[in-house]
Amino acid sequence: MPNIKLLQPATLDEAVALLAAESDGAKIIAGGTALVIMLRNRLIAPATLISLGRLQELRAIRHEPGTGLRIGALASVREAEMSPVIREKNPVLAQAFGKVGNIRVRNAATVGGNLSEADYASDPPCVLVALRARVKASSVRGEREIPVTQLFKGFYETALAPDEILTELIVPDPASGSRSSYLKYISRSSEDRPCVGMAVVVENEPDGSCKDLRLVAGAVSEIPQEIESAEAMARGKHLTDSLIEEIAGAYAGGIEPLADLRGSSWYRKQIIRVMARRAIQQAMASN
Ligand SMILES: Cc1cc2nc3c(=O)[nH]c(=O)nc-3n(C[C@H](O)[C@H](O)[C@H](O)COP(=O)(O)OP(=O)(O)OC[C@H]3O[C@@H](n4cnc5c(N)ncnc54)[C@H](O)[C@@H]3O)c2cc1C
């Protein structure tokens, strides 16, 4: 690798100032699990790396009543997986973080890095879309919030501006009585990225009918996929096995999946239908 200047700011203010000042297309490095591979494969060649490693202020994981979970971008994926407060308030999220790669990757990879990388074959993004989470981004121009539904723009592309740092993930508390699940289908080694990831959140009315269904597939397209017409089939109805089957069929029918080494488009479509059905059934069976 060519000589790269490494800057290690100690505060967020310093980090955003450095990012704004570096006119040579400096890159941020957090855990480095994705970035170092990109460097080694010569996909990127920044003259400067700005490490977030010293920003202790971005490491906290806490719960704020009325707001929900607040997860610092520098928290590792493993810390998020094991966090007692995430496990208590939003178990499906802890489970999704626990499905990322292997334990060595999860120890180094950060929550913010996973979202900023925007690799289509990732686990947390579709779950965060289903949970209607949002992220905070900071730059010298100030701070803003971006709903995760609007964060991913394409392959490795997010709504973050080049001078913005993703600082925090905010996950609202699930509505009372809501149920959720995340299923990961892997077609190669057990530690691989998903061939299909399927996240479900079901909110029920007191009479047991469905108030809202959010069904979001990951790894099947450039960005997480939600099919509004399939979700609408659930509203106001009791989710019987036959209705769930119909919804899963309509959902798979609405997606034109991509093809890659993990599966062809045709294969993914079959898997999407099965995973959608199983994920809804699993959510309905959970507390
Ligand atoms: C062997 C292996 C297996 C994997 N398996 C899975 C898997 O099964 N599921 C899955 O979801 N993921 C998987 N991953 C991907 C992994 O989750 C990501 O590599 C990791 O989360 C990236 O986080 P990081 O902190 O290492 O980011 P880095 O590598 O440091 O950065 C990644 C990108 O995000 C940018 N960036 C980082 N932090 C910020 C920030 N706070 N603000 C703005 N930009 C930022 C960097 O500039 C860079 O472009 C795997 C990775 C490896 C190496």
Side-chain angles (χ1 to χ4, degrees):
M1 276 189 278
N3 283 340
I4 298 175
K5 184 166 71 173
L6 178 67
L7 302 176
Q8 296 177 285
T11 65
L12 179 59
D13 285 348
E14 206 187 319
V16 292
L18 285 172
L19 194 54
E22 290 289 329
S23 52
D24 60 2
K27 288 292 282 182
I28 293 166
I29 180 163
T33 58
L35 188 118
V36 172
I37 295 173
M38 291 187 243
L39 283 174
R40 285 195 180 279
N41 290 332
R42 299 175 196 268
L43 295 172
I44 52 171
T48 308
L49 287 179
I50 300 175
S51 168
L52 304 183
R54 291 191 178 158
L55 304 188
Q56 290 303 325
E57 61 202 286
L58 300 188
R59 289 193 184 277
I61 299 178
R62 62 200 166 92
H63 180 262
E64 195 174 277
T67 301
L69 288 166
R70 306 191 68 144
I71 305 171
L74 258 267
S76 73
V77 170
R78 177 69 172 163
E79 284 164 347
E81 170 196 1
M82 301 305 286
S83 158
V85 71
I86 300 182
R87 287 179 168 213
E88 182 201 333
K89 299 290 180 188
N90 221 320
V92 72
L93 187 55
Q95 284 157 19
F97 282 123
K99 293 199 159 124
V100 170
N102 57 47
I103 200 159
R104 285 169 60 205
V105 170
R106 295 199 292 278
N107 271 328
T110 64
V111 168
N114 182 279
L115 299 177
S116 306
E117 184 198 10
D119 189 304
Y120 71 96
S122 296
D123 291 287
C126 62
V127 181
L128 292 166
V129 168
L131 293 172
R132 297 295 189 248
R134 43 195 209 278
V135 295
K136 268 194 177 174
S138 285
S139 70
V140 284
R141 292 169 286 116
E143 192 177 66
R144 65 174 176 138
E145 282 194 6
I146 309 169
V148 175
T149 49
Q150 292 164 29
L151 179 65
F152 303 106
K153 294 294 177 196
F155 288 113
Y156 301 98
E157 195 189 335
T158 67
L160 292 170
D163 67 345
E164 280 184 315
I165 295 179
L166 194 159
T167 56
E168 193 176 37
L169 170 65
I170 301 171
V171 189
D173 287 336
S176 122
S178 82
R179 291 140 190 251
S180 49
S181 70
Y182 174 64
L183 296 181
K184 173 176 186 170
Y185 178 76
I186 307 167
S187 54
R188 305 190 307 176
S189 81
S190 63
E191 295 175 358
D192 195 19
R193 287 171 175 271
C195 169
V196 175
M198 190 66 69
V200 174
V201 173
V202 185
E203 287 176 22
N204 282 337
E205 299 283 7
D207 68 0
S209 63
C210 178
K211 183 177 173 198
D212 198 20
L213 168 72
R214 298 194 290 276
L215 187 56
V216 190
V220 301
S221 184
E222 289 175 59
I223 61 173
Q225 291 293 304
E226 216 171 339
I227 305 291
E228 165 61 27
S229 55
E231 292 174 336
M233 290 166 67
R235 274 178 219 131
K237 312 230 178 71
H238 283 81
L239 289 177
T240 58
D241 282 349
S242 61
L243 179 57
I244 292 172
E245 189 74 57
E246 275 179 49
I247 293 169
Y251 185 79
I255 296 183
E256 266 322 307
L258 54 69
D260 64 10
L261 286 174
R262 298 183 185 91
S264 67
S265 178
W266 178 89
Y267 179 71
R268 269 195 166 89
K269 216 184 223 318
Q270 316 310 309
I271 299 292
I272 289 169
R273 186 178 54 74
V274 174
M275 298 296 279
R277 170 171 55 76
R278 287 187 190 166
I280 301 172
Q281 285 170 337
Q282 182 167 309
M284 295 298 290
S286 70
N287 281 320

